[in-house]
Amino acid sequence: YEKLAHEVTATEAILEESFFRTPGGPKCLLGYEGDVPVGFCIYFHNFSSFIGKQGIYLEDLFVRPQFRGKSYGKHLLLELVKIAKENGLGRVEWSVLDWNKPAIEFYKALGAQDMNEWTVYRLNRSTIEKLV
């Protein structure tokens, strides 16, 4: 959906290691229609020095195209919010591509605030290798 398939290097083995063998690793919520998987939400815990609490970073929220418009994305996100609330976490945060208008409108309709004054930076694997 993000038109970034050329950047995907994850394999089943890498995902298995990250989700099931890494202490404190990412977690995943799955959405189903009956027995059919329709979407997922991948998240992990982060920390805010501003509020002195852990939060949740939503890495991916995805609903298969044929199941969009049926509130599966909303239900997955609300389940994540429920987890944050039940655990006394301070925030739920995520990034969205600026051209992804349907997602932006979806998030705003839920009451999410854009953080336009913040810019995301990244060091990718090849840059990390060059730096150290």
Side-chain angles (χ1 to χ4, degrees):
Y1 186 81
E2 294 173 345
K3 303 173 186 168
L4 296 172
H6 62 283
E7 293 188 22
V8 176
T9 60
T11 63
E12 185 175 336
I14 290 170
L15 293 173
E16 185 175 325
E17 178 71 26
S18 295
F19 279 93
F20 302 113
R21 294 191 179 86
T22 303
K27 296 173 177 47
C28 183
L29 299 175
L30 297 173
Y32 288 88
E33 186 173 282
D35 294 335
V36 178
V38 299
F40 63 85
C41 167
I42 296 173
Y43 67 98
F44 56 88
H45 292 283
N46 58 10
F47 183 82
S48 169
S49 59
F50 284 76
I51 61 175
K53 290 187 168 199
Q54 280 191 322
I56 287 177
Y57 187 82
L58 170 61
E59 177 63 23
D60 282 312
L61 175 61
F62 178 79
V63 175
R64 295 169 68 193
Q66 64 269 35
F67 296 100
R68 293 183 186 149
K70 296 182 174 185
S71 296
Y72 289 112
K74 181 178 181 179
H75 288 295
L76 284 165
L77 189 54
L78 291 178
E79 187 63 27
L80 194 61
V81 170
K82 181 179 171 186
I83 291 168
K85 182 178 180 179
E86 290 174 350
N87 290 282
L89 305 178
R91 295 179 176 160
V92 177
E93 297 180 309
W94 60 92
S95 297
V96 61
L97 291 165
D98 59 5
W99 56 260
N100 191 345
K101 301 302 182 204
I104 291 168
E105 293 306 314
F106 166 70
Y107 298 138
K108 284 183 177 182
L110 292 174
Q113 302 168 356
D114 58 36
M115 304 295 291
N116 287 332
E117 66 275 11
W118 293 84
T119 302
V120 176
Y121 286 88
R122 174 184 295 160
L123 296 174
N124 64 22
R125 191 72 192 149
S126 64
T127 306
I128 292 169
E129 293 295 330
K130 290 176 189 173
L131 289 172
V132 292

